[in-house]
Amino acid sequence: MEHVNGTDKGNVVLYALSTCGWCQKTKELLREMGVAFDYTFVDLLDGKEQDDAMNRVEKFNPAGSFPTLVINNEKAIVGFREQEIREALGQ
Amino acid sequence: MTFTGINEQDVDRAYDALRKDAMDGGYRLNPDAEFVKNLIRGLLKNEQRYAYRACPCRLASGKKEEDLDIVCPCDYRDSDIEEHGACYCALYVNEAIADGTRKVAPVPERRPPRSQRGTMKERAVQTVAVGGGATFGSLPFPVWRCKVCGYLCARDQPPGICPVCKAKKERFERFL
């Protein structure tokens, strides 16, 4: 997990792919909002690590798709949904 | 996005080729050229690490036989353009989005989740079951269907490349 410093809005974890345009946009949005978050590029993980990450993604998003943004281990926003992300992590 | 080992000339070349193929087949690319080039960087990266152009917005397994459905253009593109105006990555879009009269919205994942995904072997069995040999056994040629665009042709073997969408032979299934 890579950490990005910013305002603490709880535990914010972005599961992304290094090659995916919408994942990139989601990451940029979080940076622009100045939210503290962790992210991981699941495609760059190996074997068991990747499997563990996929299991976590699927727990919150059964489709296992990217980007999956998990907030406080309870809510997931799937896809680049700017409005929803701003509402969930805004002021 | 920048990746090591991907040079910008290759990206530009791939962009021109993709655009031409799209136009020739009646498809449109996303009008945001920079966004498209980012996806192409992902495609080229995947080609480099997996040896096939797996969808940059999906996690590839690295085993081609498990990923044939997500080799770009994927099996889900046409249905997603029809229903959502864009393919899953928004690389390919419909007329309204290409002309800028409509905006791209997130496209939900149509590919079955890992747990429900059959291997190619199981899928091949399904294909045989669908191609009702008993009923259509009298046809002089088998009919092959391109899983990407639905193109049908009656001949001994599927074509090497789909004349409509340029998908390779391996993307064809026996239809009749």
Side-chain angles (χ1 to χ4, degrees):
Chain A
M1 285 279 172
E2 303 285 331
H3 183 74
V4 177
N5 289 324
T7 316
D8 182 10
K9 294 281 180 184
N11 185 20
V12 180
V13 180
L14 175 65
Y15 293 93
L17 298 178
S18 69
T19 51
C20 153
W22 299 112
C23 299
Q24 181 75 9
K25 280 186 183 283
T26 306
K27 204 167 133 226
E28 276 165 19
L29 176 65
L30 292 173
R31 274 185 196 275
E32 180 218 301
M33 289 170 65
V35 173
F37 67 102
D38 292 306
Y39 72 92
T40 184
F41 287 134
V42 177
D43 60 314
L44 301 183
L45 302 175
D46 288 323
K48 187 177 175 328
E49 260 192 324
Q50 188 179 82
D51 222 42
D52 290 347
M54 277 312 288
N55 290 338
R56 284 200 298 279
V57 170
E58 283 167 348
K59 205 175 116 191
F60 296 101
N61 166 21
S65 59
F66 299 92
T68 294
L69 182 66
V70 179
I71 302 166
N72 288 327
N73 277 311
E74 50 181 32
K75 177 188 164 73
I77 299 176
V78 177
F80 177 65
R81 298 183 185 275
E82 181 170 353
Q83 198 56 37
E84 240 181 276
I85 295 170
R86 286 189 186 278
E87 279 165 21
L89 298 171
Q91 270 74 40
Chain B
M1 254 181 302
T2 48
F3 297 111
T4 47
I6 306 284
N7 82 56
E8 287 307 300
Q9 275 176 341
D10 289 344
V11 174
D12 288 341
R13 210 173 298 132
Y15 176 69
D16 291 340
L18 214 61
R19 250 188 71 158
K20 184 179 182 304
D21 280 352
M23 294 289 237
D24 289 351
Y27 292 93
R28 303 286 296 269
L29 293 187
N30 192 314
D32 182 343
E34 204 32 56
F35 182 80
V36 169
K37 284 185 182 180
N38 249 334
L39 291 170
I40 289 175
R41 286 181 195 107
L43 281 171
L44 296 180
K45 177 75 200 170
N46 282 346
E47 189 169 41
Q48 205 176 65
R49 59 182 171 175
Y50 306 127
Y52 50 92
R53 289 191 183 186
C55 174
C57 304
R58 294 178 166 113
L59 182 64
S61 69
K63 295 177 194 120
K64 193 176 183 186
E65 64 276 15
E66 289 177 11
D67 289 341
L68 273 180
D69 61 325
I70 57 161
V71 173
C72 186
C74 67
D75 289 6
Y76 314 104
R77 172 184 66 174
D78 289 22
S79 304
D80 281 336
I81 294 175
E82 185 63 35
E83 191 175 340
H84 303 288
C87 75
Y88 186 63
C89 290
L91 173 62
Y92 293 96
V93 299
N94 66 8
E95 293 283 313
I97 292 172
D99 297 340
T101 52
R102 244 193 70 193
K103 283 197 132 190
V104 183
V107 175
E109 176 61 297
R110 189 182 291 273
R111 188 188 201 206
R114 279 196 305 174
S115 56
Q116 290 167 31
R117 230 173 273 158
T119 61
M120 249 352 248
K121 212 172 153 195
E122 287 159 16
R123 281 186 232 167
V125 173
Q126 283 170 2
T127 306
V128 171
V130 171
T135 319
F136 298 100
S138 59
L139 287 175
F141 292 98
V143 176
W144 303 95
R145 176 181 179 274
C146 171
K147 293 209 267 188
V148 176
C149 72
Y151 166 75
L152 297 176
C153 59
R155 46 188 278 168
D156 287 330
Q157 285 287 315
I161 287 177
C162 173
V164 175
C165 74
K166 312 289 186 286
K168 287 188 189 156
K169 183 176 186 170
E170 64 209 10
R171 306 294 288 279
F172 278 78
E173 63 184 349
R174 176 89 185 259
F175 186 66
L176 288 176

